[in-house]
Amino acid sequence: MASDDLLTSLEHIAERLDFGEYEAKAYLTILEHGELTAAEIAEYTDIPQPRVYDTVRSLSDSGLVELRESRPMKVLAIDPDEAFADYRDSLSSLVDGLGKRYTKPAREAEGVSLVKSRPTMLRYLEDVIESAEYELMVSLTPDLLDRFHETLASVKDTGVSVEILLSPAAAVPGPEEFDYVDVATTVRTRRGVTTPIVAVADGEYAMYATREGIEGAEDRYGVIFNRSELGFLLSGFLNTVLWTTAETVVDEPISDRFPRRYGTIRRCVADLSRLEGTYYASIDGRDVETGEHTLVEGEIVDVTAESNWIAASMLVDTGDREIEVGGQVAALEDIEAHEIVVGTDGPPGV
């Protein structure tokens, strides 16, 4: 489709679907009831009655409702399949043309991005979820859980450990109403509406958004972290501030499939503390004192964690000596772990 044709198509659709707040409310109300008078529309919505007439005539001009000139005037719903048939054909042709013009923007490998539009926040949230390869932790509302149900289920089906925090707890469906095992290994709920929207994939790629921003408030924002040094901050926030103040709804039994990869030491220690037997680790990280990159491999001889999970660590016997391993920004331990792989038949490698 030529540039002039694309522009004309865009202008045509924008002109025909000139939906304001009143048009949207009136149209949905008419669809729901099938036939209404102007007075009834004003009663069912908060549209002032003098504005109802202009509103429904605008909908009629767009071919979305039928006006029956009587006393009083009646507004009839038109089957959406019929009303939107022309729009569907126009949009299909337009999207094809736009797709040919589209150049995918380059995403920086590292850095922080501030986003303000709701569609952009939702797109990044889905991208973080889809990018998880072995570990995903998200804080969502029940509506967002419904929206990303299939995406979360697909990620879990690949073997990713999925931990979901839902709030407000009062609006969260119980396990008898929602199949949480289909989308998560662990689900917790948190009281109130103060919990932000957060997603962290593999301890690296992360996003944070205010609830108001996700709901479309103009003065709110979301932040995208696309580097491990910053992503772990959100991971720590989720693990120590939010997760520890939530109630467990579903906690799937630990899988016996190994080797298993971890992006956070908290989850690694939490799993190992519930398992019996001998386990080995390969840990990619850096020396706390020198900052040098290092690989630690050996038998895990001990794991510890504070009751509030602010700190967690493990002791690894390399054969030469025992090395204490902590999470990101560790100071008391010998090694700051960036990635941990646990196996049962010896160090599995990273």
Side-chain angles (χ1 to χ4, degrees), residues 111-117 120-121 124 208 220-225:
V112 180
S113 302
L114 185 68
V115 295
K116 290 191 174 182
S117 79
T120 302
M121 293 182 206
Y124 270 108
Y208 170 100
R220 301 299 179 173
Y221 61 89
V223 186
I224 315 302
F225 300 89

Side-chain angles (χ1 to χ4, degrees), residues 182-242:
D182 185 45
V183 298
T185 49
T186 306
V187 177
R188 291 190 179 187
T189 61
R190 194 167 187 264
R191 179 173 174 267
V193 296
T194 58
T195 308
I197 306 304
V198 183
V200 183
D202 305 330
E204 295 184 347
Y205 187 19
M207 77 151 290
Y208 170 100
T210 62
R211 298 173 80 94
E212 294 83 1
I214 285 289
E215 291 167 1
E218 294 182 359
D219 59 342
R220 301 299 179 173
Y221 61 89
V223 186
I224 315 302
F225 300 89
N226 201 15
R227 58 194 300 178
S228 61
E229 289 84 354
L230 296 171
F232 90 90
L233 292 173
L234 278 185
S235 179
F237 173 63
L238 257 176
N239 282 307
T240 60
V241 177
L242 302 182

Side-chain angles (χ1 to χ4, degrees), residues 118-144:
R118 180 175 183 270
T120 302
M121 293 182 206
L122 292 172
R123 187 170 66 249
Y124 270 108
L125 178 55
E126 184 171 31
D127 193 43
V128 172
I129 293 171
E130 290 179 334
S131 72
E133 296 181 1
Y134 51 89
E135 184 175 290
L136 175 68
M137 195 171 191
V138 292
S139 168
L140 303 172
T141 63
D143 286 343
L144 289 175

Side-chain angles (χ1 to χ4, degrees), residues 61-174:
D61 290 343
S62 297
L64 301 180
V65 300
E66 177 185 337
L67 300 184
R68 183 171 296 168
E69 300 293 347
S70 58
R71 292 185 180 275
M73 181 180 70
K74 293 183 178 180
V75 186
L76 282 63
I78 295 176
D79 188 328
D81 280 341
E82 176 185 344
F84 284 93
D86 180 47
Y87 295 97
R88 187 183 294 116
D89 293 341
S90 298
L91 280 172
S92 178
S93 176
L94 175 62
V95 170
D96 286 344
L98 293 173
K100 294 174 182 177
R101 294 284 300 274
Y102 173 66
T103 300
K104 187 173 182 178
R107 303 293 184 190
E108 293 185 8
E110 297 186 348
V112 180
S113 302
L114 185 68
V115 295
K116 290 191 174 182
S117 79
R118 180 175 183 270
T120 302
M121 293 182 206
L122 292 172
R123 187 170 66 249
Y124 270 108
L125 178 55
E126 184 171 31
D127 193 43
V128 172
I129 293 171
E130 290 179 334
S131 72
E133 296 181 1
Y134 51 89
E135 184 175 290
L136 175 68
M137 195 171 191
V138 292
S139 168
L140 303 172
T141 63
D143 286 343
L144 289 175
L145 176 65
D146 285 338
R147 182 187 184 97
F148 296 115
H149 185 162
E150 292 186 6
T151 305
L152 288 163
S154 297
V155 169
K156 192 196 174 200
D157 283 345
T158 65
V160 174
S161 173
V162 181
E163 295 180 321
I164 299 178
L165 178 65
L166 296 171
S167 64
V172 176

